[in-house]
Amino acid sequence: MAYKNVLKYSDVTPRADYLNRRQLMGGAAGLAAGMALGPALGASKYSTDLKPNPLEDIASYNNFYEFGSAKGDPANNAHMLTIDPWSVEIDGMVDRPGSYGLEDILTKVTQEERIYRFRCVETWSMVVPWVGFELNQLLDLAGVQGAAKYVAFQTLYRPEEMPGQRSVSLEWPYREGLRLDEAMHPLTIMATGIYDEPMPKQNGAPLRLVVPWKYGYKSIKSIVRVTLTDKEPQTTWNMLQPNEYGFYSNVNPEVSHPRWSQAYEKPIGGGLFAKRQETLMFNGYADEVASLYDGMDLVVNH
Ligand SMILES: Nc1nc2c(c(=O)[nH]1)N[C@H]1C(S)=C(S)[C@@H](COP(=O)(O)O)O[C@H]1N2
Ligand SMILES: [Mo]
């Protein structure tokens, strides 16, 4: 996919100018062949003011076990993945189940830039300027039925293009899940790009979930199936090690991983001498999401 008229974040300072210019450029910015990122990307009230990591960091230090388990494997191997055409099967407790083509989805949702903190359970973190749309828009297209309580997600299973799937490091396909209220929350997005670029394949092209108040593994990549259900879905890391990776996986500096503390994190890209920083409750999104968990024991429901 080729981009015309790419405006790089780093080309323009200060940030206010960048956003204004992007708004002026409107639909001209962010047009991929056959896949429009949509009109006018503006500042979102949900974006952090923190400075995003450069694209080179975000697209070279990855977890995407379908392409290998070392941090550099996805960037080396993900070029094998074909992403065009792409469709998402939406099934289970919805009024309009079926196969939804991505190009068609993108004509019906509103995309915007969301600059989010991102915190991996392994204690590294970064700041990513995603482009995407709220998951609730996709769920509304399918029509969620009243009895649905959870949303289950699956990644593509295609071992010919995903060498990691030819071994049994994880149970394939990779799967994740959210409670319906978490899925409907405006912070929860389906991301299709980073900066003004289409999503790099190693970051989960062409469509991946981003749930910024949860550990990174909840943000499942290269999604092909979304299922509405009334039962808590099985999730990949929980199936592997239930005591280490709970269903909720909310970022919580007070609940340690059995093998390490979660009190601090290391921003990536800072080099050898990067300072660790304190991890924030719900990764800094407590004002927006803490009420979702009122009355819940967050140690039991880790
Ligand atoms: N399908 C799939 N999705 C995945 C993973 C994976 O291995 N496979 N890794 C997860 C983990 S552990 C993290 S931290 C994030 C990393 O996203 P990034 O590479 O875009 O930073 O993707 C998550 N989504
Ligand atoms: Mo992770």
Side-chain angles (χ1 to χ4, degrees):
M1 283 189 292
Y3 253 106
K4 52 179 182 185
N5 208 354
V6 175
L7 175 60
K8 287 258 175 52
Y9 178 88
S10 52
D11 293 343
V12 191
T13 48
R15 184 163 173 269
D17 284 0
Y18 155 72
L19 291 169
N20 289 341
R21 267 182 62 183
R22 284 231 306 205
Q23 267 160 344
L24 286 174
M25 291 175 69
L31 273 182
M35 250 184 231
L37 285 180
L41 302 169
S44 165
K45 63 175 175 167
Y46 295 111
S47 287
T48 170
D49 292 331
L50 295 172
K51 185 173 155 37
N53 284 81
L55 185 59
E56 304 85 77
D57 289 355
I58 298 167
S60 66
Y61 188 89
N62 300 99
N63 278 332
F64 199 168
Y65 279 59
E66 285 84 340
F67 295 103
S69 57
K71 292 290 180 284
D73 287 346
N76 285 331
N77 295 331
H79 63 89
M80 299 179 217
L81 178 66
T82 50
I83 56 170
D84 200 4
W86 194 271
S87 59
V88 182
E89 185 74 26
I90 307 185
D91 60 7
M93 299 172 144
V94 290
D95 291 336
R96 292 173 288 282
S99 176
Y100 287 72
L102 181 57
E103 283 186 32
D104 193 44
I105 292 172
L106 294 182
T107 65
K108 295 177 174 140
V109 297
T110 308
Q111 300 218 76
E112 58 179 278
E113 179 174 67
R114 293 284 179 93
I115 305 174
Y116 282 166
R117 301 159 165 277
F118 189 86
R119 169 63 156 81
C120 173
V121 73
E122 300 164 329
T123 76
W124 53 267
S125 67
M126 43 190 176
V127 176
V128 185
W130 306 107
V131 174
F133 56 91
E134 293 178 6
L135 173 61
N136 58 52
Q137 297 184 34
L138 182 63
L139 297 180
D140 286 348
L141 288 180
V144 177
Q145 294 179 347
K149 293 194 177 76
Y150 296 92
V151 188
F153 303 88
Q154 279 184 17
T155 294
L156 176 73
Y157 179 71
R158 195 184 284 158
E160 340 53 286
E161 292 183 1
M162 297 176 134
Q165 289 178 335
R166 304 200 285 261
S167 68
V168 287
S169 54
L170 296 174
E171 226 178 286
W172 311 112
Y174 193 101
R175 58 206 96 161
E176 257 307 336
L178 295 172
R179 218 170 54 189
L180 185 59
D181 58 342
E182 300 175 321
M184 296 302 283
H185 194 282
L187 278 173
T188 303
I189 60 168
M190 290 292 232
T192 60
I194 299 176
Y195 286 100
D196 284 333
E197 315 273 349
M199 187 67 73
K201 290 181 178 178
Q202 57 267 38
N203 291 91
L207 187 68
R208 59 90 54 93
L209 186 69
V210 180
V211 193
W213 72 94
K214 292 178 180 282
Y215 291 118
Y217 58 86
K218 298 295 286 186
S219 292
I220 180 173
K221 296 178 168 180
S222 305
I223 294 167
V224 293
R225 189 167 178 202
V226 176
T227 307
L228 278 289
T229 160
D230 57 1
K231 295 192 183 55
E232 187 179 285
Q234 286 193 309
T235 61
T236 292
W237 287 97
N238 182 260
M239 289 157 73
L240 191 74
Q241 283 295 353
N243 64 319
E244 299 192 352
Y245 309 104
F247 175 77
Y248 284 91
S249 305
N250 293 316
V251 175
N252 188 338
E254 284 154 33
V255 178
S256 297
H257 184 280
R259 292 183 277 131
W260 59 83
S261 164
Q262 294 291 22
Y264 293 91
E265 64 198 59
K266 206 158 207 191
I268 65 145
L272 216 48
F273 303 103
K275 279 227 193 73
R276 63 178 199 166
Q277 63 189 37
E278 282 183 21
T279 286
L280 303 175
M281 188 65 201
F282 296 114
N283 200 27
Y285 298 95
D287 285 352
E288 290 87 353
V289 302
S291 64
L292 297 178
Y293 309 101
D294 277 349
M296 257 179 75
D297 183 333
L298 297 180
V299 178
V300 176
N301 299 291
H302 65 89

